[in-house]
Amino acid sequence: MLWLWLAWIVYWVVCALSVKSTRRRESPGSRMSHVVPLLSGAALILWPRVPWQWLSQRLLPAGLLQVALGLVLLAVGLAFTVWARVYLGRNWSGMVTVKEGHELIRSGPYAYVRHPIYTGLLVALLGSAVACGELRALIGLGMVAGAFIRKLRVEERFMRELFPQQYQRYCAEVPALIPFTGAPRSVPR
C-alpha cells in the first residue's frame, strides 16, 4: 500500500514543477496551519508502527476483506486525483483548485465535485485507514479531514469573493463531497 502512496507523491511532485507561477500565493502561517495537521494525520495513518501501544488498538477485525476494501478505496481516491490533475494540466493552482486563468472550471472533474483533488485524497486516506484498522488511523483521518476543511473554507471564501454570482450558481449545481466546506450559516450566499 505504501508503494502506491510513494508513486503518487513522485507523480505529484513532477507535475507540481510544471504549474504556472502566476497562481495565488498563501502566507507561510496559513500554509502551516493546514500542512502540519495534514502531514501528522497522514503519518498516523500510514506509519507501520507507533511507539504508543494504546494507539494500536484494533477497531476493525483484521482480514482480507478489510485490506481489499482499503486498497480499492485507496486506488479509487488516488486515481481520481490523478484524473483531476491530468484534466487540469498546467492550469492547476496549488492554492485554489477551482480556477483556470481566473475563470471557474465547470467541466471535467469539476462537473462532479468542487474540490476533486482534496476529495480524492480524502477517499485515498480513508482507504488507508480502513486497511490499517487501528485507532491511530481513525485519529489520523480526523486530523486530515480537519486540515482539509480548514483549507477548503479559505478557498471557498476566496472564490465567493472573486466570483460571487458565478460561484453561487456553481455551488448549487455541484455540491462538495467534503462536508462542512460551505460558507458559515451567518454569511449570506
Side-chain angles (χ1 to χ4, degrees):
M1 189 172 315
L2 189 57
W3 62 270
L4 274 174
W5 278 108
L6 291 174
W8 180 83
I9 288 170
V10 168
Y11 166 78
W12 203 259
V13 167
V14 168
C15 289
L17 296 176
S18 68
V19 172
K20 288 183 179 177
S21 61
T22 59
R23 66 184 183 208
R24 178 176 178 259
R25 305 269 183 207
E26 62 183 321
S27 70
S30 173
R31 182 174 296 274
M32 294 308 290
S33 71
H34 64 269
V35 169
V36 169
L38 175 69
L39 292 178
S40 301
L44 275 176
I45 295 169
L46 300 173
W47 205 260
R49 298 272 184 242
V50 291
W52 306 286
Q53 194 66 15
W54 64 275
L55 282 175
S56 297
Q57 294 177 14
R58 296 228 35 103
L59 298 177
L60 296 171
L64 187 58
L65 180 63
Q66 169 202 350
V67 173
L69 177 63
L71 279 174
V72 166
L73 287 171
L74 172 63
V76 166
L78 290 181
F80 194 67
T81 63
V82 168
W83 176 61
R85 179 64 181 90
V86 167
Y87 182 82
L88 294 172
R90 294 178 55 97
N91 294 307
W92 172 73
S93 166
M95 173 56 183
V96 179
T97 58
V98 193
K99 71 182 176 100
E100 179 177 341
H102 292 289
E103 296 176 11
L104 288 178
I105 301 172
R106 299 171 67 94
S107 60
Y110 292 106
Y112 305 105
V113 58
R114 291 199 313 262
H115 302 284
I117 293 169
Y118 298 131
T119 300
L121 285 175
L122 196 57
V123 169
L125 284 167
L126 174 64
S128 294
V130 166
C132 176
E134 296 178 1
L135 175 62
R136 67 185 171 92
L138 180 65
I139 293 169
L141 190 61
M143 290 171 70
V144 167
F148 278 153
I149 288 168
R150 178 168 166 58
K151 170 107 168 121
L152 292 177
R153 283 190 175 176
V154 169
E155 291 187 11
E156 293 273 322
R157 186 177 63 243
F158 176 73
M159 297 305 288
R160 279 188 173 82
E161 291 170 2
L162 192 61
F163 308 105
Q165 287 82 21
Q166 299 103 317
Y167 200 66
Q168 184 176 1
R169 278 195 316 274
Y170 177 65
C171 291
E173 294 172 11
V174 184
L177 292 183
I178 298 176
F180 312 118
T181 59
R185 298 283 182 219
S186 61
V187 176
R189 288 181 164 213

